[in-house]
């Protein structure tokens, strides 16, 4: 176990440096004037130029700057936006919204997705199964931009069930979270259904039933626990698209979260903020996937991590 | 085996429905004039937000342009971005997958780690960074930055699929036989190994094509994809959303076309995979 954790951590360190290097190089590497790239299409005065050169160490080589940037990241120093506000203070106001939104979306995905998947798997070939399969295909195919507006228009503007923009309370986050979770929800339902169907046929499920256990117990305890392993892996990977979806959903519903901040930074051509937010999101993604890998041992004792 | 897959495909509506949709979409991209009588650039403000009527079934948008004409003409850029980006991603995937699968050794390790890294970055987030840089450099807002970005970032899944097919085929007896007969590396790779990777790669790339079209729309929606004068579904969705309370028709039509096209590609990929791999059913 310890060896596995150490090896997995080393792997993550490599991916972390690789990823931040790629993101950093995409933003500041190659040819071109980095200051102009930082400032976008706005003109830059000589004094500003001198200050930015000093501030972002532009008179040093690429590797020096990258090391400086990563060193800052590791120390928890996120650097400044182009308007020289600390990025950490910008994010401090933003992340609670995104955390609440993503958390709610995850709850929707897990509760509704696993629930519907188990139901569809147990009653395979039934009406509920067919309806879920058709519905999930449609939801997988519809891009989050379309889904977001459709939900906002139908449930928010037409039926007035939910507020159409953020009002700061948890209730106004429910509709965005529902729509954000929808994408992962569809795949979760399908995955759960497939694994439940497979596991129901397995010998251990037959044994459990032959022992005289009730159907609820066989499905709820024996089958479900084994079926959850691939679902948990999927949810870890799915966090990436959940974060990307959050960028879109937060913009549609005017939620001042991390994704909204990122989109605003893109629009105002604020390079350092864009790079930092993307790096942070990638780090979150990596850490969650590490946690998922370690969670396997809890879900499946057969995995020993030799 | 291949004809068996084709026979299985031919009988399923899940295959023919997306094919029919895609034929129509393709025709729209090639000859938009056949579908829309109105000129998408013919905009006058005095009919701004005019609701659907006999003259314009889909109504007019804020600028007073015919929504239907704009949606039909937007097909071309959306499809073009999707197809070109998929072609680029396919090329990279074929190169990386075949090199690491066939040559193996340290090259395989390096390329596999590279694939892990690129796969580890969520596509849309990396695309935002890359495209933001491309625009800041002044490379403009045409389709090429978007095509390049999506292609450079979206090859990973296909590369993994190619690599594993190549790895499996490399050990086969007929490949050993070909080598013993004196065939060179190039010939073995192209004639004996690559054909095994085609079917699984096509499945992945079909689905990728769908997601690329969706990503283009999302990027255009965020303001870093295609911009005017290019007509694109994502751009039109972005323009319409600010006035959603006043008029729904400028938003609904590009959204519907986008969703149906993406759905068709994903359904098609699903159907082909089911035909080639009966176990997944």
């Amino acid at each position: 176990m310890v060896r596995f954790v150490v090896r997995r951590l080393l792997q993550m360190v490599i991916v972390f440096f690789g990823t931040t290097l790629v993101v950093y190089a995409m933003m500041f590497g190659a040819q071109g004037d980095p200051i102009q790239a930082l400032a976008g299409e706005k003109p830059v005065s000589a004094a500003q130029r001198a200050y930015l050169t000093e501030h972002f160490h532009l008179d040093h080589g690429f590797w020096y700057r990258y090391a400086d940037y990563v060193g800052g990241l590791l120390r928890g120093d996120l650097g400044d936006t182009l308007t020289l506000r600390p990025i950490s203070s910008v994010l401090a106001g933003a992340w609670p919204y995104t955390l609440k939104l993503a958390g709610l979306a995850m709850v929707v995905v897990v509760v509704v997705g696993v629930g519907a998947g188990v139901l569809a798997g147990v009653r395979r070939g039934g009406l509920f199964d067919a309806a879920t399969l058709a519905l999930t295909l449609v939801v997988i195919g519809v891009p989050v931009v379309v889904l977001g507006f459709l939900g906002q228009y139908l449930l928010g503007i037409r039926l007035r069930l939910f507020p159409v923009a953020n009002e700061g309370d948890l209730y106004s986050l429910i509709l965005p979270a529902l729509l954000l979770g929808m994408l992962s929800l569809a795949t979760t339902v399908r995955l759960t259904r497939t694994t439940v169907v497979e596991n129901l046929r397995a010998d251990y499920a037959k044994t459990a039933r032959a022992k005289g256990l009730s159907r609820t117990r066989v499905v709820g305890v024996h089958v479900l626990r084994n079926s959850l392993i691939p679902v948990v892996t999927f949810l870890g990977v799915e966090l990436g698209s959940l974060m990307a979806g959050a960028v879109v959903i937060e913009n549609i519903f005017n939620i001042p979260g991390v994704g909204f901040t990122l989109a605003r930074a893109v629009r105002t051509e604020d390079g350092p903020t864009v790079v930092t937010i993307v790096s942070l999101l990638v780090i979150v993604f990596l850490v969650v996937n590490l946690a998922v890998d370690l969670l396997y041992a809890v879900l499946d004792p057969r995995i020993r991590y030799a | 085996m291949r004809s068996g897959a084709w026979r299985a495909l031919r009988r399923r509506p899940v295959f023919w429905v997306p094919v029919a949709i895609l034929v129509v979409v393709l025709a729209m991209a090639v000859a938009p004039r056949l579908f829309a009588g109105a000129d998408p650039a013919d905009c006058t403000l005095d009919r701004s937000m005019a609701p659907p009527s006999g003259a314009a079934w889909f109504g007019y948008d804020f600028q007073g342009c015919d929504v239907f004409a704009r949606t039909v003409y937007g097909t071309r850029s959306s499809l073009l971005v999707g197809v070109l980006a998929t072609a680029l991603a396919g090329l990279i995937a074929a190169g990386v997958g075949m090199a690491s699968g066939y040559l193996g050794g340290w090259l395989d390790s390096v390329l596999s780690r590279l694939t892990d890294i690129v796969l580890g970055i969520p596509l849309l987030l990396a695309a935002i960074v890359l495209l933001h840089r491309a625009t800041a450099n002044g490379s403009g807002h045409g389709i090429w930055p978007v095509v390049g970005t999506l292609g450079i970032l979206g090859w990973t899944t296909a590369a993994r699929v190619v690599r594993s097919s190549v790895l499996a085929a490399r050990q086969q007896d007929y490949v050993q036989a070909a080598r013993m007969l004196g065939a060179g590396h190039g010939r073995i790779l192209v004639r004996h190994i690559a054909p095994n990777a085609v079917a699984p790669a096509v499945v992945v790339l079909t689905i990728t094509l769908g997601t690329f079209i969706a990503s283009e729309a999302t990027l255009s929606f965020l303001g870093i994809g295609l911009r005017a004068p290019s007509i694109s579904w994502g751009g039109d969705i972005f323009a319409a959303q600010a006035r959603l309370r006043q008029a729904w028709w400028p938003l609904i039509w590009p959204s519907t076309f986008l969703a149906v096209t993406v759905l068709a590609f994903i359904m098609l990929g699903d159907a082909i995979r089911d035909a080639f791999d009966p176990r997944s059913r």
Side-chain angles (χ1 to χ4, degrees):
Chain A
M1 183 71 191
V2 175
R3 249 184 78 192
F4 171 80
V5 174
V6 169
R7 211 178 58 205
R8 192 65 183 70
L9 275 174
L10 279 177
Q11 222 175 46
M12 196 182 106
V13 167
I14 296 173
V15 176
F16 167 75
F17 280 111
T19 315
T20 47
L21 182 64
V22 170
V23 173
Y24 196 78
M26 280 198 285
M27 200 63 204
F28 300 107
Q31 77 291 16
D33 180 357
I35 294 182
Q36 200 60 57
L38 279 176
E41 285 154 6
K42 286 168 280 195
V44 186
S45 76
Q48 255 178 324
R49 178 171 290 271
Y51 181 78
L52 286 173
T53 306
E54 170 68 28
H55 195 83
F56 292 106
H57 303 291
L58 291 178
D59 40 355
H60 297 277
F62 173 79
W63 292 105
Y64 180 92
R65 277 183 283 141
Y66 171 69
D68 184 60
Y69 163 74
V70 169
L73 264 189
L74 291 178
R75 281 194 310 272
D77 171 16
L78 301 181
D80 297 334
T81 67
L82 205 58
T83 48
L84 298 179
R85 225 181 122 199
I87 293 176
S88 48
S89 80
V90 175
L91 284 180
W95 72 264
Y97 287 102
T98 306
L99 200 67
K100 271 186 238 163
L101 181 66
L104 267 177
M106 258 316 175
V107 169
V108 171
V109 170
V110 171
V111 173
V112 183
V114 173
V118 169
L119 269 183
V122 171
R123 309 234 169 101
R124 193 164 60 97
L127 189 67
F128 184 75
D129 186 26
T132 341
L133 275 187
L135 203 68
T136 49
L137 183 67
V138 172
V139 173
I140 290 173
V142 178
V144 65
V145 182
V146 175
L147 208 61
F149 283 124
L150 211 63
Q152 189 185 35
Y153 183 73
L154 289 180
L155 299 176
I157 296 180
R158 268 292 142 102
L159 299 176
R160 295 173 190 278
L161 286 178
F162 298 96
V164 287
N166 178 53
E167 286 160 6
D169 56 341
L170 211 57
Y171 183 67
S172 62
L173 282 179
I174 289 181
L175 179 60
L178 213 61
L179 293 168
L180 181 58
M182 204 70 98
L183 290 171
S184 318
L185 185 73
T187 322
T188 310
V189 170
R190 292 191 141 198
L191 200 63
T192 312
R193 174 190 175 272
T194 315
T195 51
V196 163
V197 167
E198 259 169 35
N199 281 316
L200 274 177
R201 284 202 208 110
D203 286 341
Y204 74 85
K206 282 182 196 152
T207 313
R209 217 169 299 155
K211 276 196 302 189
L213 294 182
S214 71
R215 197 171 164 77
T216 346
R217 195 171 163 79
V218 174
V219 174
V221 178
H222 295 244
V223 170
L224 189 62
R225 191 164 163 194
N226 281 289
S227 307
L228 278 182
I229 299 166
V231 177
V232 168
T233 326
F234 166 75
L235 288 179
V237 178
E238 196 58 13
L239 191 77
S241 65
L242 206 65
M243 290 190 299
V247 177
V248 175
I249 290 285
E250 285 180 6
N251 272 286
I252 293 177
F253 287 91
N254 270 321
I255 302 164
V258 175
F260 188 79
T261 313
L262 176 63
R264 196 181 48 201
V266 168
R267 242 174 275 131
T268 55
E269 319 234 327
D270 187 342
T273 312
V274 175
V275 171
T276 306
I277 292 183
V278 171
S279 301
L280 282 179
L281 290 179
V282 170
I283 292 170
V284 169
F285 180 72
L286 290 177
V287 170
V288 167
N289 277 294
L290 174 74
V292 164
D293 274 6
L294 298 181
L295 206 67
Y296 279 172
V298 181
L299 283 173
D300 188 352
R302 283 171 306 181
I303 300 173
R304 285 269 175 259
Y305 299 125
Chain B
M1 144 82 187
R2 200 160 297 168
S3 65
W6 168 237
R7 220 174 301 137
L9 265 185
R10 224 170 27 185
R11 263 181 284 136
R12 303 191 61 201
V14 199
F15 172 69
W16 287 112
V17 170
V19 165
I21 293 172
L22 291 178
V23 166
V24 174
V25 170
L26 195 69
M28 268 183 197
V30 174
R33 222 171 285 247
L34 285 180
F35 293 85
D39 182 358
D42 173 27
C43 311
T44 35
L45 279 175
D46 57 330
R47 59 182 186 216
S48 168
M49 297 295 211
S53 62
W57 290 359
F58 289 7
Y60 293 96
D61 68 5
F62 183 67
Q63 306 283 348
C65 314
D66 187 302
V67 171
F68 180 66
R70 277 190 73 86
T71 307
V72 167
Y73 277 79
T75 313
R76 182 178 292 176
S77 44
S78 289
L79 211 59
L80 207 57
V81 167
V83 170
L84 289 176
T86 308
L88 180 60
L91 275 179
I92 301 176
V96 171
M98 291 210 280
S100 64
Y102 188 72
L103 298 175
W106 64 269
L107 187 71
D108 182 28
S109 310
V110 171
L111 287 177
S112 295
R113 286 297 84 72
L114 182 74
T115 313
D116 285 350
I117 289 174
V118 179
L119 195 67
I121 313 176
L123 173 75
L124 202 64
L125 295 179
I128 288 173
V129 175
L130 252 185
L131 265 179
H132 174 259
R133 185 180 155 72
T135 15
N137 263 1
S139 333
H141 295 292
I143 66 166
W144 293 112
V146 184
V147 168
T149 303
L150 293 176
I152 287 172
L153 297 170
W155 51 270
T156 44
T157 321
R160 281 192 171 177
V161 166
V162 171
R163 176 177 173 273
S164 61
S165 322
V166 169
L167 268 182
R170 198 176 60 161
Q171 301 303 329
Q172 297 285 320
D173 288 342
Y174 72 88
V175 174
Q176 306 289 345
R179 185 167 297 139
M180 234 138 12
L181 283 171
H185 285 306
R187 189 179 165 82
I188 289 180
L189 205 52
V190 173
R191 296 295 300 262
H192 299 288
I193 290 184
N196 290 292
V198 170
V202 163
V203 170
V204 173
L205 288 175
T206 313
I207 296 175
T208 307
L209 184 50
T211 49
F212 277 173
I213 293 179
S215 306
E216 181 274 315
T218 310
L219 290 169
S220 298
F221 166 74
L222 291 174
I224 44 175
L226 304 178
R227 285 189 201 175
S230 306
I231 303 175
S232 80
W233 293 334
D236 281 5
I237 292 174
F238 176 65
Q241 58 112 7
R243 297 180 181 83
L244 182 57
R245 277 164 195 274
Q246 299 160 45
W248 51 269
W249 51 92
L251 181 74
I252 287 302
W253 297 113
S255 301
T256 309
F257 274 53
L258 175 65
V260 168
T261 309
V262 173
L263 189 61
F265 275 115
I266 290 178
M267 268 174 82
L268 185 64
D270 246 21
I272 300 178
R273 179 178 41 212
D274 281 356
F276 274 100
D277 180 17
R279 270 170 310 165
S280 69
R281 248 175 257 166

